[in-house]
């Protein structure tokens, strides 16, 4: 099939797509967007988190055919125009919340989604942050630096 969808605000097309291959595969291997990571391919780790029509999803669990005509935003699409970092990304760097970095793109999208859904409400509590990020696994950091980054991002 020919896949037509909007990715990070641009109309993109990919030919010879098998409708059952994953959106993650399409993004990484066909559209040259390696930000979303392929770690488990089973919906367990959150490393592949992207927005699909504004909802955060695991791209490894979305079939390419399901993305037809829809809007996808990847971690690459969260940066500023000149490639500047998003405040969530800056908070991760400042807190030292990136070690191997494999979980980081998925976490950035998940935290972006958390802050967006929260709006301008009260500061997030640690249990709220932990619950919201329960689907994003990190094998390196012990999560403390990640919590610190989210606290910082939620104040910016
Ligand atoms: S690669 Fe998609 S959830 Fe792990
Ligand atoms: S920084 Fe390595 S898995 Fe999270």
């Amino acid at each position: 099939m020919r896949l037509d969808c909007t990715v990070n605000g641009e109309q993109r097309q990919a030919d010879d797509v098998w409708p059952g291959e994953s959106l993650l595969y399409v993004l990484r291997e066909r559209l040259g967007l390696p930000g979303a990571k392929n770690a488990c391919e089973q919906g367990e780790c959150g490393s592949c988190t992207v927005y699909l029509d504004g909802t955060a999803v695991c791209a490894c669990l979305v079939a390419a055919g399901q993305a037809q005509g829809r809007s996808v935003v990847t971690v690459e699409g969260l940066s500023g125009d000149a490639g500047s970092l998003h405040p969530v990304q800056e908070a991760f760097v400042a807190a030292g919340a990136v070690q191997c970095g494999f979980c980081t793109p998925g976490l950035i999208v998940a935290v972006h989604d958390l802050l967006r859904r929260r709006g301008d409400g009260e500061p997030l509590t640690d249990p709220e942050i932990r619950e919201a990020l329960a689907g994003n696994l990190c094998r390196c950091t012990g999560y403390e630096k990640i919590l610190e980054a989210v606290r910082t991002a939620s104040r910016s």
Side-chain angles (χ1 to χ4, degrees):
M1 65 175 285
R2 167 173 287 183
L3 177 64
D4 280 291
C5 57
T6 304
V7 181
N8 299 334
E10 288 180 18
Q11 196 61 40
R12 299 293 303 265
Q13 228 173 46
D15 285 318
D16 301 323
V17 172
W18 174 52
E21 70 189 40
S22 72
L23 173 61
L24 180 61
Y25 183 87
V26 171
L27 292 170
R28 291 179 56 84
E29 308 298 334
R30 297 188 185 278
L31 299 181
L33 291 165
K37 295 289 178 280
N38 181 355
C40 72
E41 277 193 296
Q42 296 182 356
E44 299 285 348
C45 74
S47 299
C48 62
T49 305
V50 301
Y51 285 114
L52 180 64
D53 284 348
T55 299
V57 297
C58 291
C60 71
L61 295 183
V62 176
Q66 292 176 288
Q68 183 70 287
R70 299 175 74 182
S71 171
V72 179
V73 176
T74 70
V75 68
E76 289 94 337
L78 300 183
S79 301
D81 286 343
S84 58
L85 295 182
H86 186 276
V88 175
Q89 293 171 309
E90 284 177 352
F92 269 65
V93 173
V98 182
Q99 289 190 23
C100 82
F102 221 78
C103 67
T104 309
L107 273 162
I108 298 293
V109 176
V111 172
H112 183 276
D113 184 46
L114 170 63
L115 298 180
R116 190 184 59 126
R117 285 186 285 113
R118 182 210 52 164
D120 293 327
E122 294 289 306
L124 291 164
T125 65
D126 284 2
E128 284 172 330
I129 297 170
R130 286 183 183 277
E131 184 179 349
L133 302 183
N136 292 80
L137 305 184
C138 174
R139 299 183 69 137
C140 303
T141 64
Y143 297 100
E144 194 47 49
K145 299 289 188 187
I146 291 170
L147 281 172
E148 191 181 320
V150 180
R151 290 184 206 114
T152 302
S154 71
R155 289 193 294 268
S156 65

